[in-house]
Every structure is written in C-alpha cells, then in structure tokens.
Amino acid sequence: MAEVAGSDSVTAQIMTTLGAGSGLNITKLAQDLTDVEKAPRQAKIEEAMTATEAKISAYGLISYQVSLLQTAFEGLNDADELATNTGSSSDDAVTFSSVDGTAEAGTHSIEVTQLAQEQRNMSDEYSTSDSSLNSGSSFDLNFTIGNTSTSTSTVSVSTDTPAGVVSAINDADIGITASLIDTGIAGANYRIVLSGENGSEAAFSVSSTPDLGFTHPDNTLQSAQDAQLDYNGLTVTRSSNEVSDLISGTTVSLNEVTSSAARLTVTSDQNTLKSGIENVVTVYNDFREIMNTLTKAPQEDVEFSGALQRDLAVARHVMEQVRESLFEDSSTASGDISGLRDIGISINQKGQLTFDEEEYDSAIAGSYDDVVMMLTANTTDQNLYGTADKGLAQDIATTLEGLTDSESLLTTRETNAETALEDYEVQLAELEERMTAVYDRYLTQFAAMESMMERLNGTKEYLEGQLESLSKAYDS
C-alpha cells in the first residue's frame, strides 16, 4: 500500500536527525497511524470495485454469447440458405447462372431455338460528331415503344448535332440507348446507333423533323425478338436470355441456339441445414456452461466464476428467456413440424441441448418442406423489423436481440455497474484526500509534542546543572 503523501515538518525532520525530542520517528508513526485508519476503508472500496469490474465483464460476456446464439439462428432464417444446391448442364449453350437453396433437386430438358435480342437501328451518315442537323435549331424525337401494348415518349434535342442527339436520348432514360460510332469511312464516318431492350415487346420506332434516317429499311441492323425454347416438351417464350421463372430457385442463362436438348441437373446438399442445427446446439451449450460459471460459487483459477452470484436475477432472466424461446411453437408451423423438438432437439436432465440425428434425418426425409416452412416461413432476406410471420429461427433471433439491446435488463445492469465503478473511484480519491489530511494532522501534533519534549529536556538539563553546582559547593 502506498504511503499517504504529506508535508513533513522541517523541525520534526531536524529533531529526528539530531536525536532531539522524544527520539521517535514521528514521520513513520504518523504514517502508521494513518494507515491503520485508511487500510480497512480502502480494502472495502477496492473489494467492491473488484466485484463490480467482474460484474461488468460478466454482463459483457453474456451479451457476447447471446449474440453468438442470435447469429446461429440468423443462419437458419432464410429458406434459400438452408441447403447448398448446385446446377450442371450437358451443354454450354444453356447454363445455370445461379442456384439458391430453394431449388428442388431434379433434371430438366431445355432446347433453345431462338435467343432474345434487342432492336438496333442506325442513322444516316455524318461527316463529324458536331455537324449541324437542323441549321442550329432544336427539334424533337418521337419514340413509340412496344408491340402489343405501346407507349410514346418525346425527347427534346437542344443541341442539333449527332453528339447532341446521343446525349439527349441517354439523358431521357426511356429504355433506348444511343451511341455515336465512328465507322472509319472518310468523309461520312459518323452514325448514331439506337438499341432497345431485349424482347419483342421492346420494339420501337422513331420519327423526327429533320429525318435522321432511323426508319429507313437499310438502317435496321437487328429486330427485337423473344427467346424461344422447348422446356421439358413445352414451348416457352421469354423476353430475356436470363430466365429465373422456369426452374424454381435458379436462373438459367440462354447462351446459344442448341442443336439438341440440353440436360440441366439440380443437386441439393441439405447438410447445410444439419450443420446449422448442430451449431445452434453447440453454441447454446457453451452459453449455458458460461452462465453456470458466472452464477455458481467462486472457484479458484476459474476466471469470472461466481461474478454474478449476488445478481442472480439478471442471469435467471436471460436463461429463462433463451430457453423458452427455443421451445416455443413456430409462428409458421407446417404439417407435423411445429418446433425444434420435431427435428431432434431436446434438453436433458443437466439442462444441455441434445441433438438426435436419427430423428432429424427422419424429419428431413419425410417433411423437408415443412421443416423449411417452420424455420423460415419460406421467406428470404429476413430482418428484425418486418411484421409478417418470419418462422421460428427469426422469432428466436428477435427475442435474443431484445435481451441485449439498449433497453434490456442486461444492458441496464451493465450501465449501472459502470456508474457504480465510477462512484467507487471517486470514493477512493476522496479517501486518499482525507487520509492526507489525517496524516498532516498527526504529523503536526507529533511535531508540537517534539517541541515540548525538547523544551522539557532543556529544563531538565538546566536543573541537573544547578543541582550539580550546588553539590560541588557543599563538597568544597
């Protein structure tokens, strides 16, 4: 323990050095008496600080473990994340560009007879990119877009040059893209090329005064058309070569016209879901073990053991909320699957979660779709704030989020403990200040005592000298 810093009396130091006064080390005596008063008070405050710091660490550890469990359940809340599916094709002309977890395993036949394409038209030729098209005056381009259903748009061209036309069309954002191409032919080497979107319904026509030549038959580079394909014996048309509504959970890319039917196969690996369930069990049991450590009697060499023995209420609240959420029925129960207990998860006599693989495998084999519905409500991109049913995984994750948010009991206790720790630090500083004053008071009193002792010693020596003189006089 550090000594209290005090201002030693110069007189007391001199007298101690010279052996004057009582001969006592009054500086040490003052320090010892101060420490006797200070030690129990300081020990009590420091003990409270140590316990409070342990509580703060314990609350933080609980929040961390709850967040780990929340993350584990958020890994099970989207239908397309519960399985790892892959797709393959026998022909590079037709391939999978994406396959998500909702895709069903199976084989499909696709023969492409025509690819979707956009309409492309070019203008007449111009000698430069800034050639005047309308004697310096602005003009309008009138577009009609569509096939069975049409829409019209007017684009105002304020700068009557090929570059000005391109800029005006692109700025209008009507689904037509314009570009200025240098063909490299000397004298008349610039053409404006217009491109629409894929599919027959994106066909367009354009007129203007002056006539820029887009409607001339020789200036039509490509006509708009739909993709045509044979899917499992059924003739299908699509406006795009990226088809996401044909094989559920996949996007199929039509790359080329095929000479024969391509064979596309979806393979589903449901071990992702099983691994996620096993992870939940592991994380929960780790969480429970930590909670036991924090609430049981302190054990030597076990960090944070017993840190919450005097605050069991918060630990019990968190444990009860977590345990209850795990065994609630799903808001989207399906068939015979209504909760985690129906896919092999239970709790043993020690309070640990257990996972019965045989029961799980049986549920997945017979009711995989029901399991997905129970966990995810057959939805994707889950979050905390939607109001629709989300499935059990997100319901549990939302409950766990509530245990650690800014208004939770756990956060409130942690904040209170941090405030208490600051108060203890203030108390320790105030004690140090008071004990400095006590030390100074003792030192002042002892210095006064030493001065009195010095005077008494002087009187004593004077009397002894007088008596000795009298004694010698009588002896003579």
Side-chain angles (χ1 to χ4, degrees):
M1 181 184 298
E3 292 186 350
V4 176
S7 56
D8 291 347
S9 167
V10 175
T11 303
Q13 291 184 26
I14 294 172
M15 288 191 294
T16 301
T17 303
L18 297 176
S22 66
L24 296 174
N25 186 340
I26 62 173
T27 302
K28 184 176 183 304
L29 182 59
Q31 183 68 59
D32 290 344
L33 290 174
T34 301
D35 288 345
V36 168
E37 290 188 45
K38 178 183 178 182
R41 300 178 190 179
Q42 181 174 327
K44 185 176 181 180
I45 295 173
E46 289 177 343
E47 181 182 357
M49 289 179 70
T50 300
T52 303
E53 287 171 343
K55 278 186 179 182
I56 293 171
S57 297
Y59 297 139
L61 185 57
I62 293 174
S63 294
Y64 175 70
Q65 290 298 133
V66 170
S67 69
L68 288 182
L69 192 57
Q70 178 183 338
T71 300
F73 276 105
E74 287 173 344
L76 300 173
N77 66 354
D78 287 343
D80 62 356
E81 296 177 353
L82 298 187
T84 302
N85 293 339
T86 57
S88 60
S89 173
S90 64
D91 190 337
D92 289 341
V94 186
T95 57
F96 287 109
S97 57
S98 69
V99 180
D100 67 33
T102 63
E104 294 185 4
T107 302
H108 308 270
S109 172
I110 295 180
E111 182 176 358
V112 181
T113 57
Q114 177 177 289
L115 292 176
Q117 63 184 28
E118 76 280 9
Q119 179 180 334
R120 289 202 300 269
N121 289 67
M122 65 179 179
S123 69
D124 291 336
E125 295 177 314
Y126 305 103
S127 58
T128 66
S129 63
D130 57 358
S131 299
S132 177
L133 305 179
N134 196 36
S135 301
S137 299
S138 62
F139 63 94
D140 292 338
L141 292 167
N142 300 304
F143 287 88
T144 300
I145 303 173
N147 190 352
T148 58
S149 176
T150 61
S151 62
T152 59
S153 299
T154 298
V155 176
S156 296
V157 179
S158 58
T159 304
D160 71 324
T161 64
V165 170
V166 169
S167 178
I169 293 172
N170 290 334
D171 289 345
D173 193 22
I174 60 173
I176 306 293
T177 301
S179 55
L180 188 59
I181 306 298
D182 181 354
T183 63
I185 301 173
N189 52 312
Y190 284 92
R191 287 183 184 264
I192 302 168
V193 176
L194 304 182
S195 299
E197 297 178 349
N198 277 341
S200 60
E201 285 302 318
F204 64 88
S205 62
V206 56
S207 63
S208 64
T209 302
D211 184 3
L212 303 184
F214 292 118
T215 59
H216 297 180
D218 291 344
N219 287 348
T220 298
L221 301 175
Q222 179 173 283
S223 298
Q225 66 181 31
D226 291 330
Q228 294 182 359
L229 56 148
D230 184 295
Y231 171 64
N232 291 340
L234 179 68
T235 299
V236 175
T237 62
R238 290 292 185 271
S239 62
S240 171
N241 294 318
E242 294 292 313
V243 183
S244 58
D245 60 352
L246 202 58
I247 302 174
S248 177
T250 74
T251 298
V252 176
S253 296
L254 310 180
N255 305 315
E256 298 177 27
V257 172
T258 59
S259 57
S260 60
R263 190 174 182 82
L264 280 75
T265 303
V266 176
T267 303
S268 180
D269 180 3
Q270 296 172 351
N271 284 329
T272 302
L273 173 56
K274 189 173 187 178
S275 297
I277 295 295
E278 290 173 332
N279 183 50
V280 163
V281 172
T282 298
V283 174
Y284 174 84
N285 287 336
D286 290 344
F287 161 72
R288 181 184 171 280
E289 184 63 30
I290 288 172
M291 294 298 285
N292 285 342
T293 298
L294 296 175
T295 55
K296 286 185 176 180
Q299 301 177 42
E300 190 175 352
D301 299 329
V302 178
E303 191 174 15
F304 301 131
S305 65
L308 294 183
Q309 237 194 345
R310 296 181 181 179
D311 194 9
L312 294 177
V314 65
R316 287 171 178 166
H317 170 75
V318 172
M319 281 298 300
E320 288 171 3
Q321 291 292 307
V322 173
R323 190 163 46 241
E324 288 175 6
S325 69
L326 262 61
F327 291 99
E328 286 184 350
D329 285 344
S330 171
S331 57
T332 57
S334 180
D336 294 329
I337 309 297
S338 59
L340 296 179
R341 60 186 173 277
D342 299 317
I343 56 174
I345 294 180
S346 60
I347 195 164
N348 63 21
Q349 293 179 342
K350 296 180 179 180
Q352 298 172 320
L353 282 188
T354 61
F355 179 53
D356 187 325
E357 288 194 54
E358 290 187 6
E359 185 177 350
Y360 170 84
D361 291 340
S362 175
I364 293 300
S367 308
Y368 177 76
D369 290 343
D370 292 331
V371 172
V372 173
M373 173 62 77
M374 180 273 290
L375 286 171
T376 71
N378 264 344
T379 58
T380 59
D381 297 326
Q382 290 281 12
N383 61 72
L384 296 171
Y385 308 108
T387 57
D389 288 338
K390 305 179 183 67
L392 184 61
Q394 184 58 51
D395 289 344
I396 294 174
T398 300
T399 297
L400 297 177
E401 170 71 18
L403 292 175
T404 59
D405 65 22
S406 60
E407 298 180 357
S408 68
L409 175 62
L410 192 60
T411 301
T412 300
R413 290 295 177 88
E414 184 173 1
T415 300
N416 291 343
E418 289 171 347
T419 301
L421 184 61
E422 292 174 358
D423 290 342
Y424 289 135
E425 290 171 348
V426 171
Q427 291 177 29
L428 204 57
E430 290 174 345
L431 176 64
E432 191 75 21
E433 187 176 346
R434 290 198 304 273
M435 291 301 101
T436 297
V438 169
Y439 171 81
D440 288 342
R441 186 177 72 248
Y442 278 133
L443 195 59
T444 299
Q445 291 171 346
F446 290 149
M449 178 193 71
E450 289 294 278
S451 296
M452 184 181 295
M453 288 294 295
E454 181 62 21
R455 290 195 297 271
L456 290 174
N457 284 338
T459 302
K460 172 188 171 185
E461 291 172 357
Y462 171 75
L463 292 174
E464 286 178 345
Q466 292 297 316
L467 291 173
E468 185 176 350
S469 297
L470 289 172
S471 175
K472 289 179 179 179
Y474 284 117
D475 291 341
S476 301

